[in-house]
Amino acid sequence: AARAAHVGGEVGTMRCCDPAEIDGMGCSTHMLPLHVMLDYLSSETGCAVLVVGIQPGEMEFATSPCPEMLAAIDQLATMIVDIRTRRL
């Protein structure tokens, strides 16, 4: 899932975020707070967890991601596939 994060850049800017710096109680009836989920993933898998935030445009409820965010998501997905392919 892609999530918007205020990373202090232009819309679509990506930034690696330290999971230890993520806090807050942003939750709903179907989602744990992000820091709880990250702690769980790290402890259960023994792997390092990397969070990539993407600077949003519109933040209104139920709006579609802007073209800059969609382009950043595509770029990030390509980067992940490229990295994964090199390790196989």
Side-chain angles (χ1 to χ4, degrees):
R3 296 285 183 234
H6 291 287
V7 297
E10 297 292 319
V11 175
T13 299
M14 291 182 276
R15 183 173 76 87
C16 291
C17 305
D18 182 350
E21 295 176 2
I22 297 173
D23 59 5
M25 293 304 293
C27 62
S28 69
T29 57
H30 63 277
M31 185 175 81
L32 289 171
L34 184 57
H35 68 92
V36 173
M37 183 183 72
L38 297 174
D39 288 345
Y40 173 79
L41 286 173
S42 180
S43 67
E44 287 297 309
T45 65
C47 295
V49 176
L50 174 68
V51 175
V52 179
I54 303 173
Q55 181 67 41
E58 283 285 323
M59 289 294 294
E60 297 296 318
F61 181 72
T63 57
S64 297
C66 65
E68 295 89 348
M69 279 215 51
L70 293 174
I73 293 166
D74 285 344
Q75 181 182 4
L76 180 59
T78 299
M79 290 167 47
I80 292 168
V81 168
D82 288 347
I83 290 167
R84 182 72 180 135
T85 301
R86 279 187 253 145
R87 290 188 179 177
L88 293 177

